[in-house]
Amino acid sequence: MTSILNADLHCHSVVSDGTLTPEALATRAKANGVELWALTDHDEIGGQLRAAAAARALGMHYLTGVEISVTFANETVHIVGLGFDATDPRIMSGLQATRGGRGQRAQEMSAQLAKVGIQGAYEGALKFVGNPELISRTHFARFLVESGVCRDTPEVFRKYLIDGKPGFVPHRWASLQQAVQWITECGGVAVIAHPGRYRFTANEQYALFSEFKAHGGQAVEVVTGSHSPSEYVTYADMAKEFGLAASRGSDFHSPDESHTDLGALPYLSGELTPVWELLAHRIQ
Ligand code: AMP
Ligand code: MN
Ligand code: MN
Ligand code: MN
């Protein structure tokens, strides 16, 4: 398969912190010209059967997907998994363990927000949650916008939800090795998500790419809604330097919040190996 393919291999549904159902996302992806699609909810594969069935009904190719939260060098890193067997108990139990701490973390976030005068944030966030095991900072952000504390979700993150701000609660997610292993032992390909978003030094970034590769990781997102055009070039170079395939995905969450719509991205450069070349046998 060529790099000239409208593949969107990163987005979120109500099963994690998106606002559309898997079916509505499939319809929107198809309308935007997506030819190969993956739903990649955070730490959860409960939407996979619905997404695959909706893609099939629309005549759109599909890869199973997930975005796993990982702690690396005291920072949260996201690893996308593509093309794994979503019925394999090994990835299911790994993800279940990863989801486990979210409820407690959300209670602590709420207690901290109460100290700066924002009451009832846990209950408020819950109103926006589709899947209670997946309560996330995004749901808190929607509550703080709804209640008029902030104008939009980026403002909530800036003022309340990032490291050093009152509603931030540090959390230990899966290890890099675990995430890569769950994906690869179930027949999938592991992908470093949006590398341009991490606040790493050059050395830390080098360590992330080297360790990821050593654990069996095979691809990196180059063209994503989280990257600027100059980052497309930076991470195309990193993909070549580390011998990684390249992925493409919008990271779409919501028509009201996401600035990059499903499928609305430049094509991958022809010099890169598209991740779907490694996954030809897993495409549904
Ligand atoms: P969590 O997994 O609960 O830590 O929430 C992480 C999610 O918050 C990410 O997947 C994004 O959807 C969202 N997010 C993180 N940083 C920002 C930001 N600066 N602005 C808007 N959304 C963000
Ligand atoms: Mn998200
Ligand atoms: Mn992410
Ligand atoms: Mn994402």
Side-chain angles (χ1 to χ4, degrees), residues 60-155:
M60 189 164 54
H61 292 296
Y62 189 75
L63 281 168
T64 55
V66 68
E67 182 175 22
I68 305 180
S69 312
V70 158
T71 301
F72 183 85
N74 290 320
E75 163 90 79
T76 298
V77 163
H78 287 167
I79 300 296
V80 162
L82 297 172
F84 52 86
D85 174 0
T87 64
D88 192 309
R90 290 172 292 184
I91 192 159
M92 291 168 88
S93 62
L95 294 176
Q96 190 173 12
T98 300
R99 289 194 295 272
R102 280 186 181 267
Q104 176 69 30
R105 170 191 187 232
Q107 300 272 12
E108 289 170 25
M109 286 171 64
S110 186
Q112 288 188 195
L113 288 169
K115 286 190 202 150
V116 295
I118 298 165
Q119 306 300 329
Y122 178 75
E123 293 72 21
L126 265 188
K127 286 191 299 177
F128 292 91
V129 167
N131 171 5
E133 281 189 33
L134 239 295
I135 185 163
S136 87
R137 285 184 291 162
T138 314
H139 303 112
F140 280 83
R142 290 186 185 132
F143 167 66
L144 293 196
V145 172
E146 180 208 48
S147 53
V149 175
C150 291
R151 252 176 308 132
D152 55 24
T153 53
E155 185 186 341

Side-chain angles (χ1 to χ4, degrees), residues 10-12 17 40 42 67 78 80 193-194 197 251-253:
H10 190 150
C11 68
H12 300 273
D17 61 348
T40 56
H42 296 285
E67 182 175 22
H78 287 167
V80 162
H194 44 62
R197 273 210 354 221
D251 207 357
F252 181 81
H253 282 69

